[in-house]
Amino acid sequence: MRGQNNSFKQRLQSYLPAISLLLIIPIWQLVCSLFEFPPYILPSPTMIFDAFVQVESARWVMHLWATLRVALFGFILSLCISIPLAMMMVSSKYLSKTLYPLLVVIQSTPVVAIAPLLITMFGSGEGPRLAITCLITFFPLVVSATTGMLSTPPELIDLSRSLRAARYKEIFYIRLPYALPHIFSGMKVAITLAIIGAVVAEFVAAEQGLGYFIQFSTSFFKVPQAFAALIFLAVVSLILFKTVYWVQKYFFAWTLNKEKS
Amino acid sequence: MKPYVSFNSVSHFYETDEGQQVEALRNVDFHIEKHQFVAVVGPSGCGKSTLLKLLTGLLRPAGGQVKIFGTPVTEPRDEIGIVFQQPTLLPWLNVLENVMFPIKHKRGRISSKEKEQALSLIKMVGLDDFSQRMPSELSGGMQQRVGIARALLLDPEILIMDEPFSALDALTREEMGFDLLRIWNQSPKTVLFITHSITEAVLLADKVLIMSPRPGRLSEEIFIDLPRPRSAETVKEKAFAEYSDRIRQQIYHPREFTVVSNESKVKQEVSNL
């Protein structure tokens, strides 16, 4: 009896997040019908759903792809810059002392404030949007990669040096893999920031994308449609986050093990 | 016959983060013969790790000379294998890959003969069924066995062991001590074994070096004349207890160096003023 009880509790626990999310919808609907908010203040879930269905799917796909493209390429570009940068900073004290303050300055400057400047400087093409996404994502990546590489046990570095292995081998085959659990944590933060970066860039200047579509909808008081886009955006962001987790789970399962040593 | 390893009046200093110079080793002198098992015992801060780093060639002595086979150590050498305090295995490699890691890391590839050798080493440390397992699936003792196999792979003449069993629980630790005796009997090596455990030192070693701290000095050399092969029976012998007592006494009540330590105390008090 007791065992059954336990397994029921366990199952309930795994369903709780989904249940809590689904519970919001009827409550929201109820609140809207009770207080009769005008749709531009708070549209009800049914209105949002109607608005979602009314927009042609081709249009959704177009806007989604525009945002996703910038977010994903910006993220990948950011990875390609930040990991080598972290490797350089770990291998040279001078370089890390020179670069670190610069990184902190970049991070302390609100990217949202730089966005309009970048767009006036470089135009409203995809380049500046990629740059904004890159700027917003690369700090967590650099920091996680650097701390990960520096947390390598000193014994392993001693082992590598006692074998008289080249320095690049120490970085590539010991420090970099050792940093992977940290890098994955950084990537989980960065992937959601990438969506934010792409949307911020679209707010400033764009002709398509989900961020642009939200702005476009609100300027015509089509608030339910804006909400639909917003929810769509949140779901996309969640899927991207989960994708990072799946990649980690299937290709780097060891990074999820709690280390014994 | 020339000694395998010799420390000739070796001194060393290190710098703290505040830029202060601290004397880590003062005039350390000893020799290790071929296939001799030497244990180093002493309280924390007596320069044991410095001693070890000097022998591996990762550090160069400030004074005196460290020699292997009669030639001064100026860089890390192939003749040395190291077992660390923590197993420090690579968590993304399985047991076999971890054992093969030193050769792969050094040369980029590994011959099938060397792979066979790695497998037989894994067998020797008693892990034949675990060669495909990941380190996270192993207990602490098993992980350290992998660490020992890894150190033996390049067939080093000299094996350095830095408190290899100190992270293990008491029971596993005892078992590992006996296992190490068996492994050493199978493939004799020249060993420098650092430990905090007096009984471990007496059980394993031919010679125990006792060190005293601040600055690290050699305070006594004791030859352990117990018959080999040693086993759980050895521990029960009267001589075993006598050796342990002698070492304990030398650690807690060092005779010759009381004067020196008073002197350094006075110095410290003066500098405090």
Side-chain angles (χ1 to χ4, degrees):
Chain A
M1 273 310 274
R2 210 167 156 199
Q4 258 180 346
N5 212 353
N6 273 342
S7 78
F8 172 73
K9 273 184 186 167
Q10 271 171 8
R11 241 185 305 162
L12 185 72
Q13 263 183 21
S14 65
Y15 289 134
L16 272 180
I19 292 173
S20 76
L21 278 177
L22 288 176
L23 262 179
I24 291 177
I25 298 173
I27 294 172
W28 184 346
Q29 187 73 40
L30 197 71
V31 168
C32 287
S33 53
L34 274 177
F35 299 99
E36 292 182 349
F37 290 123
Y40 58 86
I41 301 282
L42 186 68
S44 69
T46 43
M47 288 168 84
I48 295 169
F49 183 76
D50 284 344
F52 181 80
V53 181
Q54 268 168 25
V55 179
E56 299 156 56
S57 53
R59 224 169 135 205
W60 277 127
V61 170
M62 178 193 78
H63 288 305
L64 170 69
W65 176 232
T67 308
L68 203 60
R69 200 171 52 207
V70 171
L72 274 181
F73 286 141
F75 175 74
I76 291 166
L77 193 65
S78 181
L79 260 181
C80 295
I81 297 170
S82 57
I83 304 296
L85 197 70
M87 283 158 87
M88 276 156 63
M89 279 169 58
V90 168
S91 57
S92 154
K93 241 184 201 159
Y94 296 102
L95 215 55
S96 87
K97 288 244 161 90
T98 326
L99 289 175
Y100 207 76
L102 266 173
L103 291 180
V104 174
V105 167
I106 291 174
Q107 174 63 9
S108 326
T109 316
V111 176
V112 187
I114 309 176
L117 287 174
L118 277 177
I119 287 179
T120 38
M121 280 156 75
F122 300 107
S124 62
E126 204 145 295
R129 267 182 273 162
L130 278 177
I132 290 163
T133 313
C134 238
L135 272 178
I136 207 167
T137 51
F138 105 123
F139 193 72
L141 290 174
V142 173
V143 171
S144 62
T146 317
T147 32
M149 284 192 240
L150 289 178
S151 72
T152 309
E155 289 94 339
L156 284 175
I157 304 304
D158 279 355
L159 179 69
S160 177
R161 295 195 180 156
S162 74
L163 291 166
R164 279 172 288 134
R167 274 307 287 277
Y168 80 88
K169 284 187 175 174
E170 177 188 315
I171 303 261
F172 268 95
Y173 299 122
I174 298 180
R175 286 197 190 269
L176 186 61
Y178 226 97
L180 273 175
H182 288 86
I183 293 175
F184 269 105
S185 310
M187 277 166 69
K188 284 176 203 157
V189 176
I191 194 81
T192 45
L193 285 176
I195 292 282
I196 295 177
V199 170
V200 163
E202 283 167 12
F203 278 174
V204 180
E207 301 83 42
Q208 47 178 272
L210 288 170
Y212 158 80
F213 190 61
I214 288 174
Q215 218 183 22
F216 167 83
S217 305
T218 47
S219 59
F220 287 94
F221 283 97
K222 291 180 172 171
V223 176
Q225 189 174 295
F227 262 93
L230 180 68
I231 292 166
F232 202 10
L233 211 47
V235 170
V236 167
S237 186
L238 200 69
I239 290 171
L240 286 182
F241 178 86
K242 274 281 172 190
T243 310
V244 173
Y245 175 75
W246 286 323
V247 168
Q248 180 177 17
K249 195 174 165 190
Y250 290 107
F251 296 103
F252 303 95
W254 65 268
T255 55
L256 294 166
N257 289 334
K258 264 193 199 157
E259 274 189 75
K260 280 183 183 168
S261 50
Chain B
M1 200 177 79
K2 271 186 188 166
Y4 257 44
V5 173
S6 61
F7 274 63
N8 301 326
S9 49
V10 171
S11 310
H12 197 71
F13 298 86
Y14 67 88
E15 220 164 90
T16 60
D17 291 338
E18 291 89 44
Q20 265 185 320
Q21 285 236 322
V22 177
E23 195 175 6
L25 285 179
R26 181 187 288 177
N27 278 334
V28 173
D29 249 308
F30 68 89
H31 304 283
I32 306 178
E33 308 291 334
K34 184 181 181 182
H35 294 174
Q36 204 174 29
F37 198 121
V38 173
V40 182
V41 192
S44 326
C46 68
K48 286 175 298 196
S49 325
T50 312
L51 198 78
L52 193 149
K53 281 211 167 175
L54 289 171
L55 184 55
T56 56
L58 292 169
L59 278 182
R60 298 254 211 113
Q65 268 187 325
V66 179
K67 289 181 179 171
I68 295 179
F69 307 136
T71 53
V73 178
T74 51
E75 59 166 1
R77 303 231 280 211
D78 289 343
E79 295 94 349
I80 286 183
I82 313 172
V83 181
F84 300 100
Q85 192 169 354
Q86 299 290 337
T88 52
L89 305 178
L90 301 165
W92 57 93
L93 299 179
N94 68 29
V95 168
L96 177 62
E97 289 164 334
N98 259 294
V99 173
M100 297 191 302
F101 178 76
I103 289 184
K104 274 213 171 137
H105 193 60
K106 203 175 161 72
R107 305 202 208 113
R109 62 168 161 270
I110 188 159
S111 69
S112 54
K113 197 181 140 207
E114 284 160 336
K115 192 178 169 182
E116 287 301 313
Q117 215 176 330
L119 282 167
S120 70
L121 279 170
I122 291 171
K123 199 172 171 184
M124 186 164 86
V125 297
L127 291 176
D128 9 358
D129 298 333
F130 295 89
S131 63
Q132 298 303 315
R133 296 292 186 89
M134 297 306 277
S136 58
E137 298 174 274
L138 306 182
S139 68
M142 289 159 104
Q143 288 189 27
Q144 194 54 291
R145 282 164 200 268
V146 180
I148 292 172
R150 176 176 70 184
L152 290 172
L153 181 65
L154 287 161
D155 199 23
E157 289 289 335
I158 299 160
L159 187 62
I160 296 179
M161 305 183 87
D162 181 12
E163 302 182 30
F165 308 144
S166 64
L168 305 175
D169 64 87
L171 290 176
T172 314
R173 182 174 190 154
E174 206 170 60
E175 191 194 330
M176 292 288 285
F178 292 124
D179 269 10
L180 181 60
L181 277 176
R182 178 180 58 78
I183 291 167
W184 188 70
N185 278 332
Q186 271 180 39
S187 72
K189 300 273 174 212
T190 307
V191 182
L192 184 69
F193 187 93
I194 290 175
T195 181
H196 276 298
S197 160
I198 292 167
T199 47
E200 203 170 76
V202 177
L203 176 69
L204 297 171
D206 298 308
K207 181 161 88 173
V208 176
L209 305 176
I210 301 169
M211 294 192 68
S212 54
R214 281 174 290 275
R217 285 148 305 158
L218 203 59
S219 63
E220 200 171 321
E221 262 189 19
I222 295 176
F223 285 87
I224 309 294
D225 214 1
L226 293 168
R228 290 194 187 267
R230 295 177 193 167
S231 64
E233 295 301 309
T234 314
V235 185
K236 296 177 194 159
E237 280 178 41
K238 207 178 147 208
F240 186 91
E242 280 168 11
Y243 280 123
S244 306
D245 273 350
R246 229 178 106 194
I247 294 170
R248 201 164 285 124
Q249 213 148 48
Q250 182 60 25
I251 289 175
Y252 295 118
H253 310 285
R255 278 154 290 153
E256 298 131 283
F257 289 89
T258 39
V259 187
V260 180
S261 64
N262 272 342
E263 206 175 69
S264 62
K265 234 184 213 170
V266 172
K267 261 188 201 162
Q268 211 172 21
E269 273 162 25
V270 169
S271 68
N272 282 345
L273 290 173

